[in-house]
Amino acid sequence: MNFRSDNCYGVAPEIADAVQAANQGTDSSYGDDRITARLKARFSAIFDREVYVYPVISGTAANALALATLVPPHGAILCHAGSHIAVDECGAVELFTHGAKLVGLEGANGKLAPAIVETALARFEKGSIHHPQPNAISITQATEVGSIYRRGEIAALSGVARANGMKLHMDGARFANALATLGCAPADITWRAGIDVLSFGATKNGAMGAEAVVFFAKEDVRDFEYRRKKSGHLMSKMRFVSAQLEAYLDDGLWLKLASRANAIAAQLAEGLAGVDGAILAHPVEANEVLVRLPDETAARLRKAGAVFYDWEPPSGGRTLIRLVTSFATPAQDVANFVRIAKG
Amino acid sequence: MNFRSDNCYGVAPEIADAVQAANQGTDSSYGDDRITARLKARFSAIFDREVYVYPVISGTAANALALATLVPPHGAILCHAGSHIAVDECGAVELFTHGAKLVGLEGANGKLAPAIVETALARFEKGSIHHPQPNAISITQATEVGSIYRRGEIAALSGVARANGMKLHMDGARFANALATLGCAPADITWRAGIDVLSFGATKNGAMGAEAVVFFAKEDVRDFEYRRKKSGHLMSKMRFVSAQLEAYLDDGLWLKLASRANAIAAQLAEGLAGVDGAILAHPVEANEVLVRLPDETAARLRKAGAVFYDWEPPSGGRTLIRLVTSFATPAQDVANFVRIAKG
Amino acid sequence: MNFRSDNCYGVAPEIADAVQAANQGTDSSYGDDRITARLKARFSAIFDREVYVYPVISGTAANALALATLVPPHGAILCHAGSHIAVDECGAVELFTHGAKLVGLEGANGKLAPAIVETALARFEKGSIHHPQPNAISITQATEVGSIYRRGEIAALSGVARANGMKLHMDGARFANALATLGCAPADITWRAGIDVLSFGATKNGAMGAEAVVFFAKEDVRDFEYRRKKSGHLMSKMRFVSAQLEAYLDDGLWLKLASRANAIAAQLAEGLAGVDGAILAHPVEANEVLVRLPDETAARLRKAGAVFYDWEPPSGGRTLIRLVTSFATPAQDVANFVRIAKG
Amino acid sequence: MNFRSDNCYGVAPEIADAVQAANQGTDSSYGDDRITARLKARFSAIFDREVYVYPVISGTAANALALATLVPPHGAILCHAGSHIAVDECGAVELFTHGAKLVGLEGANGKLAPAIVETALARFEKGSIHHPQPNAISITQATEVGSIYRRGEIAALSGVARANGMKLHMDGARFANALATLGCAPADITWRAGIDVLSFGATKNGAMGAEAVVFFAKEDVRDFEYRRKKSGHLMSKMRFVSAQLEAYLDDGLWLKLASRANAIAAQLAEGLAGVDGAILAHPVEANEVLVRLPDETAARLRKAGAVFYDWEPPSGGRTLIRLVTSFATPAQDVANFVRIAKG
């Protein structure tokens, strides 16, 4: 019963096979190989326009490199105070941007909204050398707490961004999970809604270690390739990363995997609705369930072997825990978890 | 009628004289001169214990170097969301720490309090490599909005800091103004209350360009001197900076200057109390008056030649303005300002 | 006929199998998995003492993180002017150390020697804040030009390092190739000869993307784990990297692969000895052959499909080219290459 | 007898007076004052074209900020291996550029020449993401050893720079000394010879602490002002720095001071020519004399109170010492020094 994170699960068989299949003969290194060369067309088809795709091996690298490319050292990035880049990446963005400022904002269900951003902007005078210059907004899709931005919400944030000369970044570590729920085109919640650069995640959804930074305009790529190399993130045998991404997109595998994970999360949420004292903390829209459980329930589950993460310290007899499902989480684990929770 | 900032005023005559007097013969450069050599004993006497003093030429340099010495790149610094290091130094601390995270917190009257800090700490798991590690708290004395921390308030924050293995930094750009109000010993609101390192300001209070980083324990100095040099902040003709600090402390000049500035601010606040529609936004405890004025009053003052800073954009017919007084602000300017404000 | 680099070849079958085998069930992420947990004991056995091992996915990351852990921002690192860290990593070490200085030195056959280091040290006064402080020497084993440091040479450099309070780093991107030639114990050319930290390469010698930073003393590890995380180099599904390293060391696979590559390089060198106008530029001691060929010979080879790297621009009718062999380079390719070279 | 450095001397009276005179009334802070506003026209007149001038307080700041503005983190800067930025600034350029590479080159009399630069360029493939990209050459005028670049020499280096898409920076900490010797227009050895940005020094030649970064093209200024602020180098009471620069240029004061220092150096060199065993190491073209003296002569001078710097450790019975003269060095000191040297 491992609900600790989707990255505790292994690799989808189709992707594992693709890695093996890539192990044929010689090819150029450092991303000049044939598989990597095919990614641009593949991603462009997925996103319904010409895009610029750069594989890396971690979400932290994707986020930090994407933002460092768009935000100068004297810039500031507005994000949710509980976002991955703010809390869970050990300050990678501050390092890679050479000291840009992350401004952490509070917002319901892990999301930002135009009014929140505008209030924060009042503190930073545009064009004044004294103030870190707000140059980007970063949002997470799906969010850290399993909620999802709708297209209109993204477009509204993009409006604020455009009006203030800011770029809009999406941390899409769980992009497929959001898309599977929304059922729209990838373009609809990215460039058509004003996203400038996307950290396109695959690792949490069945890849071995593969993410892609996707720019939607060529001029935004700037010196990205130097930054990736200078930070040690240009794999020499890149074909084995690119092969994962290719298989991930083949025949809609990515959405199948995400739909499976989301469905399991929905079952879990449904089951927990019948548990005494359980209170869902956020809408369950992707593959994460944040739920407050009575402390004795949580303890009973742990004792029975369930693995999960305390999202907040215990308080008032309950603990907010996070349960993450993956493409490979057994349905039986959900059934067992709910049964034990019911006591 | 210049109330824009205390640094719009010049240099106190005693300090200007000391700069001239330092212009005698040869001396060693880069801080190995005779005047700089005397600072340690002088500051140690002021602070009632052996301290370690390093002059620099700007408050931003003092803050960023002090914090970078104590906080590693993977660290986090908790501070008020409106503090100078968070908003007005263009991200200097993020640069000098090589990417440590500033966590901006809200608190009444520009101040932090233990509960605010403790809530924020819950987001950062101690010892987890995923989270920026909260290694320091930074407070401002007097604050950006002219309020003052009492000894007990500092000691309480120090308690939280100690309990969590954090250092406590004080941005004392207006340290003398706070001290003049409190009337206590410098030690009482620094090391005796748990401050580990102080950015000791003099520029805003009558010096030409002189601040000092004061460490209260030798082991905290670490590689500070390399950092100061590497960032171009080691003046070659240091004696002219140190001479300012020496004169500043002679015969209690610093407190006389600060008392004068504070008294003028008090007069201003008192006068504004009689102005229709004027609402003080914060207690006036040092040399800053933050007041909401009807927009037409603010406009009338500007038209009459008054210079001041809009602290927030106009809202609901009023604008929050900041008025800063200095050792040299003419009393007549206050009288005129109030008179014009009354209309 | 691909002699461009050893990383143009794929993955050794045993390692590819291990990656597949690791794809079983759930495990903890971010290096807390069972396979990674076994690496410490495995590497400690290989190195005949307790060592501290941290997998990463690129040699650039290994070098930059290892050196940044040992060298402060105000430090300097002495290395060969043609070394990988100096020339081929886009300045990664300068980035990760936050501005430490790389001092590039010339030395025969890509190697440093004590006298070269001592001459360079004269420029940097020890303990002076004005000078970047030489805190480390970095050497490459095997070197960029295919030569090898003997144990005594390393020990001599270590002597200079110790006498000057410096750490000694080895870039072992081709460590196995050097070891295969020397036939000694791994300990003999690392910690027993005074190496403090080793970038242990596997990718160029048959892994998919796996290197390890090996510290030989616990106190040198310092904040390495924070640095790896902060730079995005902590893989979430680490088990797939660690599995490569484990298979690499199983049954001496690493040395078998390296011996094969070295033997092929020796055949190539031998064959080229019979080519008119070919002049070996450096001793062939590992898996690289640097040879000056008449320009028409080089052109003929390229036309025939041979792939290799011009190491220096053409000069005086000859071009210095680099030929790298791998565990999987076909012997037939060597025979063909020599035959075509002979014209 | 202080020959240790020109910065061991105080401030020229005219400059000290200007600092005092600037202490009148209020003015805007952070460089928005009236004196700073006048600098642009003043420097433009001096340099015979519109220039962009930014005062800072140290040469290290001027160099590091100028280069960081022109060179990206993935860039490389070619300079003399013994230059101030390479050896005497604790790695400030590496810090401010966020990890650009300094490539230290050897050249006679502290100078670079086209062939030296071109040889170095061969190591860094243009446009390759693997190699730090050589984006600037930095030269020092006068050099660290007291020699001077002629206009033609600068133009020749500029030719190499232009041909390779590089910027050309001049560290002019002793620019006035060079100019006083050459007797040409400031423009002749700067923009007319291809210099893009100049660190214009005044501190070593009679100012208190004032340097100016001078850009010769507006588009090169880029984000310089943010960089100056973010690094703590924007003085709040800037007028006191700018007043120094203004006085420095008034009535040709800067050239008078430099000519005086140069003349004293020439006398010293002439006197040393008559000293047994003294060998000048470099041509004396500005205000520095590098001379090898028998060890007993050096010891005798030190015993008599002479202060100077050992440039290299003693070797073969002689020590290479550096003697620097200033605008205020007493002629009597030179006479005494030579007399004692003669024994």
Side-chain angles (χ1 to χ4, degrees), chain A residues 39-69:
Chain A
L39 289 181
K40 186 173 190 298
R42 173 59 69 97
F43 273 81
S44 294
I46 295 279
F47 281 100
D48 245 352
R49 77 177 281 167
E50 189 175 14
V51 300
Y52 307 88
V53 188
Y54 301 93
V56 293
I57 54 89
S58 77
T60 296
N63 289 333
L65 287 168
L67 286 164
T69 299

Side-chain angles (χ1 to χ4, degrees), chain B residues 48-331:
Chain B
D48 247 352
R49 76 177 281 167
E50 188 174 13
V51 299
Y52 307 86
V53 188
Y54 301 92
V56 293
I57 54 87
S58 77
T60 296
N63 289 334
L65 288 168
L67 285 164
T69 300
L70 294 182
V71 177
H74 61 265
I77 298 157
L78 307 191
C79 61
H80 195 279
S83 64
H84 208 264
I85 60 169
V87 177
D88 295 297
E89 301 187 352
C90 200
V93 175
E94 284 95 341
L95 173 66
F96 278 47
T97 56
H98 314 302
K101 178 173 198 58
L102 257 67
V103 182
L105 308 174
E106 302 293 343
N109 293 322
K111 296 200 279 187
L112 297 182
I116 299 168
V117 169
E118 279 164 346
T119 300
L121 284 175
R123 258 198 179 119
F124 301 92
E125 190 188 339
K126 210 173 163 62
S128 161
I129 52 171
H130 298 273
H131 300 166
Q133 294 290 297
N135 281 311
I137 302 171
S138 177
I139 59 175
T140 309
Q141 178 78 314
T143 72
E144 292 304 299
V145 296
S147 61
I148 286 181
Y149 283 95
R150 267 65 194 181
R151 179 179 177 169
E153 293 173 309
I154 300 168
L157 285 166
S158 168
V160 179
R162 291 290 173 275
N164 290 280
M166 303 164 82
K167 295 286 183 180
L168 186 55
H169 166 253
M170 178 176 276
D171 175 355
R174 295 189 178 95
F175 183 72
N177 299 92
L179 201 63
T181 294
L182 293 171
C184 63
D188 290 344
I189 53 167
T190 55
W191 65 271
R192 278 195 200 119
I195 297 292
D196 295 295
V197 62
L198 169 69
S199 297
F200 178 92
T203 310
K204 287 185 196 296
N205 191 32
M208 186 180 290
E211 313 275 314
V213 177
V214 181
F215 291 96
F216 296 104
K218 193 173 187 179
E219 64 267 27
D220 285 340
V221 179
R222 303 179 192 174
D223 57 359
F224 177 89
E225 293 195 68
Y226 285 104
R227 290 180 183 276
R228 182 174 57 170
K229 173 68 191 176
K230 191 174 178 80
S231 59
H233 282 292
L234 181 63
M235 289 277 286
S236 60
K237 298 184 179 174
M238 182 68 90
R239 52 171 146 159
F240 296 102
V241 177
S242 298
Q244 296 174 53
L245 291 169
E246 204 170 45
Y248 185 64
L249 296 176
D250 267 354
D251 295 325
L253 176 64
W254 60 313
L255 296 174
K256 287 179 213 163
L257 297 171
S259 296
R260 174 63 172 57
N262 291 359
I264 290 282
Q267 287 172 27
L268 184 54
E270 198 178 355
L272 290 170
V275 170
D276 270 2
I279 305 167
L280 285 180
H282 299 285
V284 176
E285 302 179 329
N287 64 326
E288 296 185 279
V289 178
L290 278 95
V291 62
R292 280 179 222 281
L293 289 186
D295 291 341
E296 65 271 19
T297 310
R300 188 165 61 245
L301 285 158
R302 279 229 162 81
K303 201 173 159 199
V307 180
F308 50 84
Y309 192 69
D310 277 7
W311 198 247
E312 286 177 6
S315 160
R318 283 201 181 80
T319 304
L320 177 60
I321 67 167
R322 189 188 71 164
L323 306 167
V324 192
T325 59
S326 92
F327 73 99
T329 306

